[in-house]
């Protein structure tokens, strides 16, 4: 096999859930059936790495120092909702029931996978929570074992800041992930959040 083709297949294996077989199929598909799509994909990936950075305030990907949501004066900057992933932010925004700010952890504590407080930049989270405008911190990590452990860790970490700390309500089934919850249930979870400190 051509080395270039082999490199393409190896590169595609970095995608989640893609093994050698699917990577090979994808490579042939891109080359044979959709060369334009393949070029667009390559350009978009390069462009993303060239121009996207992390928002200084919420950690989300954006092209500016602070993202549009964080710099929106119409948002309530006294509430900060801590979530695991950018996809969770999209879900909360779809509920139209939350108008505060967010902080994205970009993961969850998972010691077995080598993800500890340092990997999740918990010190940046602490600094963000220190902001004197923030009166309430809502912890909206998933209701999984790791999500709950992350919630407990954050509660301990920031309790000395004297802010109100709440956890979204358990209207969601145990073990459930925000990304796969319907907007109605999620809207209820945030409006019925429980104070935990
Ligand atoms: Zn932001």
């Amino acid at each position: 096999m051509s080395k270039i083709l082999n490199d393409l297949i190896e590169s595609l294996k970095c995608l989640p859930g893609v093994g050698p077989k699917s990577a090979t199929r994808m490579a042939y598909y891109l080359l044979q059936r959709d060369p334009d799509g393949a070029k667009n994909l390559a350009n978009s990936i390069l462009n993303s790495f060239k121009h996207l950075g992390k928002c200084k305030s919420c950690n989300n990907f954006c092209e500016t120092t602070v993202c549009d949501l964080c710099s929106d004066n119409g948002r309530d900057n006294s509430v900060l909702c801590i979530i695991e992933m950018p996809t969770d932010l999209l879900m909360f925004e779809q509920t139209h029931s939350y108008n505060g700010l967010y902080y994205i952890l970009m993961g969850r504590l998972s010691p077995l996978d080598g993800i500890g407080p340092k990997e999740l930049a918990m010190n940046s989270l602490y600094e963000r929570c220190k902001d004197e405008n923030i009166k309430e911190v809502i912890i909206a990590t998933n209701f999984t074992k790791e999500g709950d452990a992350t919630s407990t860790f954050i509660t301990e970490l920031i309790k000395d800041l004297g802010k109100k700390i709440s956890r979204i309500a358990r209207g969601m089934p145990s073990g459930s992930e925000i990304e796969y919850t319907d907007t109605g249930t999620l809207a209820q979870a945030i409006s019925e959040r429980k104070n935990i400190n």
Side-chain angles (χ1 to χ4, degrees):
M1 185 188 284
S2 137
K3 178 173 183 313
I4 293 180
L5 179 55
N6 195 47
D7 285 350
L8 174 60
I9 293 169
E10 283 302 311
S11 305
L12 287 164
K13 277 160 64 181
C14 80
L15 292 166
V18 175
K21 255 191 183 164
S22 346
T24 309
R25 262 202 304 266
M26 282 179 186
Y28 282 122
Y29 177 86
L30 291 169
L31 293 171
Q32 256 183 319
R33 310 263 167 166
D34 196 359
D36 287 340
K39 284 176 202 158
N40 281 340
L41 176 64
N43 284 333
S44 299
I45 293 174
L46 286 178
N47 231 358
S48 301
F49 279 97
K50 203 166 157 194
H51 298 292
L52 289 182
K54 294 270 185 74
C55 167
K56 194 171 88 169
S57 181
C58 72
N59 241 358
N60 207 354
F61 294 104
C62 66
E63 293 166 56
T64 43
T65 322
V66 177
C67 76
D68 288 351
L69 193 151
C70 289
S71 43
D72 181 350
N73 289 331
R75 308 283 307 198
D76 177 358
N77 66 0
S78 71
V79 199
L80 184 72
C81 182
I82 301 174
I83 50 179
E84 291 183 15
M85 299 302 286
T87 40
D88 299 335
L89 185 152
L90 299 176
M91 289 301 294
F92 277 112
E93 286 299 288
Q94 276 173 34
T95 67
H96 299 289
S97 61
Y98 177 71
N99 192 40
L101 299 177
Y102 297 93
Y103 184 91
I104 306 171
L105 295 166
M106 294 292 179
R108 65 191 89 175
L109 292 178
S110 182
L112 289 178
D113 303 312
I115 302 170
K118 217 170 99 194
E119 284 67 31
L120 285 187
M122 284 295 187
N123 46 352
S124 311
L125 169 70
Y126 183 81
E127 290 304 313
R128 181 69 187 95
C129 292
K130 251 164 119 176
D131 184 332
E132 58 181 22
N133 291 317
I134 295 166
K135 305 285 179 256
E136 179 183 1
V137 176
I138 303 170
I139 304 177
T141 51
N142 290 317
F143 286 122
T144 54
K145 227 166 66 191
E146 289 94 352
D148 280 336
T150 308
S151 168
T152 308
F153 182 90
I154 295 170
T155 310
E156 281 300 307
L157 178 76
I158 63 171
K159 69 178 181 194
D160 68 320
L161 293 174
K163 317 269 178 182
K164 179 179 173 188
I165 307 172
S166 40
R167 178 94 167 97
I168 52 169
R170 279 197 177 270
M172 297 162 53
S174 166
S176 63
E177 305 209 10
I178 286 161
E179 190 180 350
Y180 306 107
T181 306
D182 67 279
T183 50
T185 308
L186 203 54
Q188 197 182 359
I190 201 154
S191 71
E192 292 174 5
R193 60 184 182 268
K194 302 274 184 301
N195 198 1
I196 54 172
N197 69 334

